[in-house]
Amino acid sequence: MNQLLHNGPFKDNGLLTVIALIFGILVFASLLFFIIGKINPQAKLQEVKARTKSWWVMATVFIGATVFNTNISYIAIAFLSFVAFRELYSLLGFRESDRRAIFWAFIAIPIQYYLAYLGWYGAFIIFIPVVMFLVLPMRLVLKGDTVGITKSMGLMQWTLMLTVFGISHMAYLLSLHELKGFTAGGRGLLLFLVFLTEINDVMQFTWGKLFGRYKIIPKVSPNKTWEGFIGGMICTTVIGYFLRFLTPLTTGQVVFVSFMIAFAGFVGDVVMSSIKRDIGVKDTGTSIPGHGGVLDRIDSLAYTAPAFFHLVYYMAY
C-alpha cells in the first residue's frame, strides 16, 4: 500500500489533499444532516440526504476510476455521455424515421472517446462538429421522410455536441502529454475541472439562498439571482487560486481560468434549464436519487469541460 501511495497515482500530494478535502466535505455534510435529524425529527431532510448519498457514490466512483486506473476513466466518462445522450434524445420528440440516424449517433460515442484515448487532437476536434455534421443529415435523407427533417437534423447534432463532444474533453485531459515540473498531470487537471465546476454550483446555490433578491432570468431559472451568480463566481475563482497546484498555469492564468469555469458553468446550467422548461420537465431522468438524471448533474460540465480544456491547451501545451 505504501508503495502505491508513493509511486502510483497518489505520488502527488496535491491530489491527495483535494481528494481528502472532497471526502471531508461529504463526511461533514452527512454528520450535519444526521445531527439535525436527531435534534429536529420534523426537519424535511429527505431530499438533501438523498443528494448527499448520491454524491458519495459519484465521488467514490469518479475518484476511484481517475486515480487508480486512467483507462477506466475513459470508459466511465464515455458511459456518462451515453446516458446523457439517451436521456436528452428521449425527451426531444424525434420521429420514428430518425431511429437509424440515432443509432449512428450512438456509434459516434465510442469513436469520439477512442480518439480522446489516442490523444489524436486533429481527429478528436473535428469528428463530431464536422464528420458527424455531414454524415447524420445524409442518413436522415436516405430514409426519405422529409416532414420535420430540418428539426431532426438540428436536434441530433446539437444533442451530440452537448452530451458527447463537450463532455469528451474531460477524457482528453487524461491524454495530454506530460509537462516538465508538473506532477499532477491529466488527473490533476480533471480533478481541478470537476471539483471547481461542482463547487461553483454549490456556491451559487448557497449565496442565492442566503442573499438572493434580484433575479437574473426569472422566465428561465427563477432561482438564479445576481447575488448567487456573483458570490459563486468570486468563491470559485478564489478556490481555484488555492488549487492552482493541480494545473501547470501561472497565478494570473489560473485566476482567469477559474473565473471562466464559474461563468461557463452558470451558462451550461441555465441553457439546460431553458430546454427542460421548453419540454415541460423538471429533470432529464431519475437515474440518480435526489439529483434527477445524469444530464442534470453534468450539464455544467458540458460547457466547462471544453472551455477549460482549450484554455489550458492554449496557455500551457
Side-chain angles (χ1 to χ4, degrees):
M1 175 60 77
N2 287 335
Q3 185 177 4
L4 174 65
L5 289 174
H6 290 96
N7 299 320
F10 290 118
K11 62 184 178 181
D12 179 18
N13 291 331
L15 290 178
L16 271 176
T17 301
V18 178
I19 292 169
L21 175 63
I22 292 172
F23 282 116
I25 293 172
L26 288 173
V27 169
F28 174 77
S30 300
L31 288 174
L32 178 64
F33 299 141
F34 175 78
I35 293 170
I36 293 175
K38 288 295 184 180
I39 296 174
N40 182 12
Q42 304 303 319
K44 297 179 180 179
L45 300 174
Q46 291 82 1
E47 181 179 354
V48 73
K49 285 183 177 180
R51 285 175 176 265
T52 304
K53 289 179 181 178
S54 296
W55 273 116
W56 269 108
V57 174
M58 289 189 288
T60 302
V61 171
F62 173 78
I63 291 173
T66 300
V67 300
F68 285 112
N69 191 322
T70 302
N71 291 336
I72 297 176
S73 298
Y74 292 101
I75 298 172
I77 300 170
F79 180 71
L80 287 180
S81 279
F82 170 82
V83 176
F85 181 85
R86 185 174 180 273
E87 286 178 351
L88 189 53
Y89 101 78
S90 66
L91 293 173
L92 293 178
F94 282 100
R95 307 171 303 166
E96 184 68 24
S97 57
D98 295 334
R99 287 180 175 270
R100 294 291 179 87
I102 289 173
F103 169 78
W104 286 105
F106 273 117
I107 294 298
I109 299 175
I111 296 175
Q112 177 73 2
Y113 279 89
Y114 184 62
L115 294 174
Y117 172 76
L118 293 177
W120 188 357
Y121 180 80
F124 170 85
I125 212 67
I126 70 166
F127 176 63
I128 288 178
V130 179
V131 177
M132 295 309 294
F133 175 77
L134 299 174
V135 169
L136 290 178
M138 190 61 209
R139 188 63 192 85
L140 290 168
V141 168
L142 290 176
K143 192 65 178 178
D145 182 6
T146 59
V147 178
I149 193 171
T150 305
K151 179 182 177 182
S152 292
M153 288 178 181
L155 287 178
M156 202 171 298
Q157 182 67 19
W158 187 84
T159 302
L160 262 183
M161 288 292 292
L162 180 73
T163 61
V164 182
F165 183 70
I167 296 298
S168 65
H169 286 78
M170 295 169 61
Y172 200 107
L173 287 172
L174 298 171
S175 296
L176 291 173
H177 62 81
E178 293 186 5
L179 295 175
K180 186 178 180 180
F182 176 50
T183 58
R187 290 187 179 98
L189 289 170
L190 184 57
L191 204 53
F192 181 90
L193 167 65
V194 175
F195 183 71
L196 238 62
T197 300
E198 298 305 329
I199 205 68
N200 177 59
D201 287 346
V202 173
M203 289 294 104
Q204 292 198 15
F205 175 82
T206 302
W207 280 91
K209 281 292 184 182
L210 292 175
F211 305 105
R213 291 181 58 192
Y214 300 99
K215 310 291 186 182
I216 299 180
I217 37 177
K219 291 184 178 180
V220 175
S221 186
N223 294 325
K224 291 287 188 296
T225 64
W226 281 107
E227 292 83 357
F229 173 65
I230 295 172
M233 294 273 286
I234 294 172
C235 288
T236 301
T237 302
V238 171
I239 293 170
Y241 167 79
F242 285 108
L243 296 179
R244 62 190 182 279
F245 55 84
L246 292 175
T247 79
L249 304 175
T250 65
T251 299
Q253 288 173 337
V254 83
V255 167
F256 175 70
V257 167
S258 301
F259 177 86
M260 291 306 297
I261 286 177
F263 180 75
F266 171 81
V267 174
D269 190 13
V270 296
V271 166
M272 200 62 232
S273 294
S274 68
I275 294 168
K276 289 186 286 188
R277 189 168 290 274
D278 177 41
I279 298 170
V281 298
K282 181 179 182 293
D283 299 312
T284 59
T286 58
S287 53
I288 305 177
H291 283 279
V294 167
L295 186 54
D296 292 308
R297 294 316 314 152
I298 65 173
D299 52 4
S300 297
L301 280 167
Y303 271 67
T304 61
F308 175 71
F309 174 88
H310 289 290
L311 285 170
V312 171
Y313 193 82
Y314 173 76
M315 293 175 176
Y317 289 85

